[in-house]
Amino acid sequence: MSRVSKIVLMLAVLALVGSGAAFAQTTTTQTLEGTVVHVYGNNLVVKMADGTIKEFNPPEGTTFNIDGVQVPVSQLKPGTKLSATITTTEVPRVVVTEEIRRGEVVERVGGTLIVRREDGTIKKFTNIPDDVKFTVDGKDMSVYDLKKGMKLTAYIVSESTEYVSETDVQRMGTGPAPAPAPAAKPAPVAAPAPAPAPAALPHTASSLPLAGLTGLVLLVIGLGLAVIHRF
C-alpha cells in the first residue's frame, strides 16, 4: 500500500514584460471628418472625407457641438460638417488569480514536475525554483523531495496584467451654408397713359337748330331766284 501524503504547493506565476518592467499607459488619437447626408431617427449617414459613405448609430443622448450649440443626432441637418476626435487610453491593471488544484505526482525529474489532475489531464510544471517550498505532513520540502504517487493540493497564485480601455470622444461641427437669397424681381413697367377722348356734345343738344338753319338758307336762295325772274 502506497503512502498517501498531502502537499501544499505555493506557486507564483508573474506575467511581466521583462523582469522588473513597469507597465505604462498608452494613448492613441483618431480624427474622423465627414458631411451629413441623411438622418433618420438616431441613425446618421455621413460622407467621409475620403468619399466613402458610412452609417453610424450613436448611443442615445449623443450630441454634437454645432457652432457652439449642443445638437442631438436627430436634429442634424444634411450638409452639416462633422468632426469627431477619438482619444483611447489603455491603462494597465494587475489581476491576481487564486486557484486550488488537486492531483497526484506522476513524475519528478530535476526541477520539472508532472501531475495528474482530478479530471485526469496531465499538467507539466518546469523550472520550479529551489526556494519554492512544499509542505508535506507539516514539513517543508523542495521540489526535489517530491515522490511519485504523492497526493497534493496546489494553491496557485497567478498575477497577470490586463489593459482597460478608456475612450473619450469630442464631437464638433459646423452647420450647413445658408441657402442663397432669391433674386429680386424687376419692377413692373408702367403702361402708357391712354389718349384723351374727343370732347362730346352735351347730352342736352339736339338737331332742331340745324334744321332751322337749313330752312333759313333755302329761304334766302328762294328770294334770290324770285328777284332774278322780275328783271
Side-chain angles (χ1 to χ4, degrees):
M1 179 177 179
S2 62
R3 175 183 174 185
V4 178
S5 303
K6 182 177 181 180
I7 306 173
V8 179
L9 170 65
M10 301 298 295
L11 295 177
V13 180
L14 302 179
L16 301 175
V17 181
S19 177
F23 295 96
Q25 68 180 28
T26 59
T27 301
T28 57
T29 302
Q30 181 184 16
T31 301
L32 301 177
E33 295 181 344
T35 303
V36 176
V37 176
H38 182 61
V39 177
Y40 60 100
N42 205 53
N43 296 289
L44 189 60
V45 180
V46 179
K47 182 178 182 180
M48 308 303 293
D50 60 1
T52 59
I53 302 296
K54 292 186 178 181
E55 182 173 344
F56 299 91
N57 184 18
E60 291 290 341
T62 297
T63 60
F64 286 81
N65 186 342
I66 307 298
D67 299 326
V69 179
Q70 295 298 325
V71 179
V73 173
S74 60
Q75 296 182 16
L76 293 175
K77 304 296 183 183
T80 301
K81 304 291 186 181
L82 299 180
S83 174
T85 301
I86 306 171
T87 303
T88 303
T89 302
E90 292 189 342
V91 181
R93 184 177 65 180
V94 176
V95 179
V96 178
T97 304
E98 296 185 2
E99 297 180 81
I100 299 178
R101 298 284 183 86
R102 292 177 173 83
E104 178 183 348
V105 176
V106 175
E107 190 67 62
R108 196 274 306 165
V109 179
T112 299
L113 181 64
I114 301 175
V115 177
R116 178 182 289 108
R117 295 186 287 195
E118 287 183 309
D119 59 3
T121 59
I122 302 297
K123 177 68 175 179
K124 182 178 181 181
F125 299 91
T126 60
N127 301 322
I128 299 176
D130 295 341
D131 56 355
V132 174
K133 299 299 180 182
F134 304 87
T135 302
V136 180
D137 293 337
K139 297 179 180 180
D140 290 339
M141 294 184 178
S142 69
V143 65
Y144 300 100
D145 298 321
L146 299 179
K147 306 295 182 183
K148 181 179 179 179
M150 290 181 173
K151 304 293 184 182
L152 60 84
T153 300
Y155 295 86
I156 304 174
V157 181
S158 60
E159 183 177 306
S160 61
T161 301
E162 66 179 21
Y163 286 87
V164 180
S165 295
E166 299 175 356
T167 302
D168 177 68
V169 181
Q170 297 293 329
R171 304 175 181 89
M172 297 175 291
T174 55
K185 296 182 178 179
V189 179
L201 293 175
H203 291 290
T204 56
S206 65
S207 59
L208 182 60
L210 181 60
L213 180 61
T214 302
L216 179 61
V217 171
L218 292 177
L219 178 61
V220 172
I221 295 172
L223 290 177
L225 291 174
V227 172
I228 293 173
H229 284 297
R230 285 183 181 182
F231 290 99

